[in-house]
Amino acid sequence: MQEALRHKSFGGFLTVHDHDSAVTNCTMRFAVYTPPQAADGPVPVLWYLSGLTCTWQNVNEKSGIHRHAAEHGMMVVFPDTSPRGEGVADDDAYDLGQGAGFYLTATEDPWARHFRMDRYIAEELPALVADRFPAADMNRQGIFGHSMGGHGALTLHLKHPERYRSVSAFAPIVAPSKVPWGQKAFAAYLGADRSAWQAYDATELVARQRSKAHILIDQGAADQFLAEQLRPELFAEACRHAGQQLTLNMRDGYDHSYYFVGTFLGEHFAHHAGTLDR
């Protein structure tokens, strides 16, 4: 692992790292914000998963996330949204290929060799963080994300509820099997058999097995993708039937942007702290 960048921020440090991944078969870049409290001992770890077209960089530069992480004494890990580089399959569209990994393990060519983002985030990257960041308390992990990253956060939590003890999302794709973004990506990455899609669909997963966590979702009511791509009402209904604790906040006037994310980040950190500080 090689450190590529380092910036001091709110008393802590944002560091950016490159490493060769055995899971994605390419060089991966990720970032870590280490809060000032890490100088005194282990701190909780939050995983932030970004949305379509993003990298580790967007939320770090546009949302003010370091202030909240420093206030609550939480380390935040920012994986990339997909494998990248020469030789990695790609597509001209923004919603498929590099930048659009959808936090799954692809089974179809040409994607299967590199696009294994759920395994990368759940298996390889945590081992690297635990080894290289001694202040990371891996017994206190939470996960959150935005849009495609919200989809990833919900599905990874529902598959690993004991690991990711807290979970939240901003404008997540909650039912990818039923919306154009998800249907396009799933057909390409996973093939035509829709039964394989269910393992990466939060609405399907929560219907099978609720978690003990209280899920927090914030959704902009003026989000341009709300009606066609996001459809939070489907997840809310599945949670109601499953007995899953859910708070879904519809935020009047807010869209899909980082202005929206930045506005409510503090509430999400407080939500995670309520579980991880115990």
Side-chain angles (χ1 to χ4, degrees):
M1 184 178 81
Q2 179 178 356
E3 185 176 298
L5 295 168
R6 173 177 287 258
H7 300 287
K8 189 167 186 178
S9 180
F10 290 91
F13 287 92
L14 176 72
T15 54
V16 181
H17 309 269
D18 296 326
H19 74 105
D20 293 330
S21 168
V23 171
T24 64
N25 293 301
C26 65
T27 299
M28 297 294 293
R29 173 165 283 195
F30 69 98
V32 176
Y33 179 75
T34 303
Q37 293 88 337
D40 299 321
V43 295
V45 178
L46 272 181
W47 296 81
Y48 182 88
L49 307 186
S50 290
L52 286 166
T53 75
C54 293
T55 68
W56 63 269
Q57 196 167 6
N58 302 72
V59 72
N60 282 287
E61 294 185 347
K62 295 181 177 181
S63 72
I65 195 169
H66 301 164
R67 177 170 68 85
H68 301 292
E71 177 185 347
H72 288 280
M74 291 187 174
M75 181 179 291
V76 187
V77 182
F78 307 91
D80 203 346
T81 51
S82 79
R84 298 179 191 270
E86 186 176 351
V88 175
D90 200 6
D91 190 271
D92 290 337
Y94 75 96
D95 55 355
L96 189 68
Q98 295 186 36
F102 271 86
Y103 304 102
L104 51 72
T105 292
T107 56
E108 301 296 303
D109 291 332
W111 314 103
R113 174 169 169 74
H114 299 286
F115 282 72
R116 302 169 181 169
M117 288 302 296
D118 61 326
R119 287 184 51 204
Y120 172 69
I121 291 168
E123 299 170 13
E124 186 175 38
L125 192 52
L128 187 60
V129 169
D131 181 57
R132 299 299 182 93
F133 294 85
D137 185 347
M138 304 306 281
N139 292 315
R140 293 187 290 163
Q141 295 185 66
I143 193 166
F144 66 150
H146 174 222
S147 193
M148 180 185 71
H151 143 74
L154 292 172
T155 56
L156 283 167
H157 163 75
L158 290 167
K159 291 180 182 181
H160 307 281
E162 302 304 321
R163 177 187 305 178
Y164 306 111
R165 291 166 47 195
S166 60
V167 60
S168 69
F170 298 93
I173 306 169
V174 296
S177 299
K178 295 181 174 64
V179 302
W181 274 342
Q183 290 169 345
K184 177 180 179 178
F186 284 7
Y189 295 142
L190 302 173
D193 181 3
R194 289 187 173 232
S195 64
W197 300 7
Q198 295 178 7
Y200 301 104
D201 188 309
T203 298
E204 297 287 344
L205 289 170
V206 80
R208 297 183 202 172
Q209 180 62 54
R210 69 185 183 187
S211 81
K212 298 176 183 177
H214 187 145
I215 298 173
L216 171 64
I217 293 177
D218 272 295
Q219 172 63 61
D223 191 319
Q224 63 270 40
F225 304 115
L226 176 59
E228 184 178 29
Q229 305 284 13
L230 305 179
R231 303 194 64 188
E233 72 280 0
L234 297 178
F235 186 68
E237 182 66 9
C239 287
R240 187 181 70 81
H241 280 292
Q244 172 68 55
Q245 292 185 85
L246 170 69
T247 295
L248 170 60
N249 296 315
M250 297 300 299
R251 302 296 192 176
D252 188 47
Y254 286 91
D255 57 20
H256 200 71
S257 69
Y258 283 98
Y259 299 111
F260 157 65
V261 172
T263 299
F264 300 106
L265 259 177
E267 295 182 23
H268 283 244
F269 270 89
H271 169 79
H272 289 276
T275 295
L276 301 180
D277 284 350
R278 294 200 293 268

